[in-house]
Amino acid sequence: MRAQLLSLTAVFVLSFIAEKCRQLVGEESAARSKTERFTFINCFDMSYGTIGCLLKELVKIYLYYIRATYVHKVRNEATKEAVQENLSKGQSIEDAVKIGQQLGNAAAKRASLQAKHIMGPMVSSGWDFFEAIYVGGTLAEAIIRSIGTLLGSYIGGMIGEGKTSWLGFLLGSQFGSWIGGRLGLMLHDVGIGLQYLHQIMKTKNDRESNSLLLVPS
């Protein structure tokens, strides 16, 4: 409970600092993907939006194909191994095959969940990277946001799965990806704000140094 309160407090503090940094540098220099969003309508702009949507679907289809191939391989290997093991124990062929199929299906289910654990966060992270670039964000913003989304998806998925199995993983990864992306944008704005303050201080020191040089000795 204490750790949760500390985490919540840290998020609120980070959000407050990020908002002040956005006000300091202005909306044009702050994270663009916080206010500008990629919507379904952008898929029909016959430009980068259309290309991005097509690539996203192609990547999803390819990943689904990889998952199906991987799950099929795991099922066959687990079934074959179980059948051979049960036959060596003296069971009949029918019983060995039946048990082998059951174990193979169980192994396939676990493999499918493991593949989802990898695929979901990767797709979410890649899409957030594209969205940030599409709406006019910088490369740094896109990278920080995508990393936040990736980590948030993994952490949220693991926490959710520990609570309510596969449904918890689905909800946790979705919520975690959103939180992670937002935290990434906050960190980006804080970094931009600190860079802006550093530039101001540097300019001020340069002016003071030039003023001292101009003063006659």
Side-chain angles (χ1 to χ4, degrees):
M1 185 66 180
R2 185 177 179 183
Q4 294 175 346
L5 289 175
L6 289 174
S7 299
L8 190 60
T9 302
V11 171
F12 277 121
V13 171
L14 179 61
S15 178
F16 175 79
I17 295 174
E19 183 61 32
K20 293 301 180 182
C21 288
R22 280 192 291 270
Q23 295 174 3
L24 178 65
V25 303
E27 291 296 332
E28 291 298 323
S29 299
R32 294 294 300 275
S33 57
K34 183 180 184 298
T35 54
E36 302 288 337
R37 304 291 297 174
F38 185 97
T39 64
F40 181 72
I41 302 298
N42 297 124
C43 290
F44 302 97
D45 65 358
M46 304 307 294
S47 184
Y48 293 109
T50 303
I51 295 174
C53 288
L54 289 175
L55 285 177
K56 179 184 179 181
E57 295 306 317
L58 289 174
V59 168
K60 287 170 63 177
I61 292 173
Y62 180 65
L63 290 176
Y64 290 153
Y65 167 76
I66 292 178
R67 186 182 73 180
T69 303
Y70 172 68
V71 170
H72 180 71
K73 180 181 178 181
V74 169
R75 177 187 284 110
N76 287 342
E77 291 180 350
T79 301
K80 182 179 179 180
E81 182 178 348
V83 169
Q84 291 177 347
E85 182 179 352
N86 285 287
L87 286 176
S88 65
K89 293 180 180 179
Q91 293 185 351
S92 64
I93 296 179
E94 292 183 356
D95 291 339
V97 170
K98 184 178 181 180
I99 295 174
Q101 289 176 343
Q102 292 175 349
L103 294 177
N105 290 333
K109 185 177 181 180
R110 290 193 300 270
S112 180
L113 289 175
Q114 291 173 354
K116 288 181 180 179
H117 289 186
I118 299 174
M119 291 165 51
M122 287 180 61
V123 172
S124 297
S125 177
W127 183 252
D128 278 4
F129 179 91
F130 166 77
E131 181 179 298
I133 295 295
Y134 181 85
V135 299
T138 62
L139 181 61
E141 176 186 342
I143 292 175
I144 294 174
R145 179 182 175 183
S146 63
I147 291 175
T149 299
L150 182 66
L151 295 177
S153 296
Y154 274 119
I155 296 173
M158 288 188 293
I159 294 175
E161 188 178 24
K163 300 292 184 180
T164 55
S165 188
W166 67 270
L167 180 60
F169 170 79
L170 178 63
L171 297 177
S173 60
Q174 291 296 320
F175 186 67
S177 66
W178 184 84
I179 293 294
R182 299 285 80 73
L183 290 176
L185 294 179
M186 291 179 193
L187 290 174
H188 170 269
D189 287 338
V190 171
I192 293 296
L194 293 176
Q195 185 179 6
Y196 182 79
L197 289 174
H198 175 73
Q199 188 64 36
I200 290 177
M201 294 300 297
K202 182 180 179 181
T203 303
K204 182 179 179 181
N205 291 334
D206 290 342
R207 288 178 179 175
E208 291 177 352
S209 299
N210 292 333
S211 298
L212 291 174
L213 292 174
L214 294 175
V215 174
S217 57

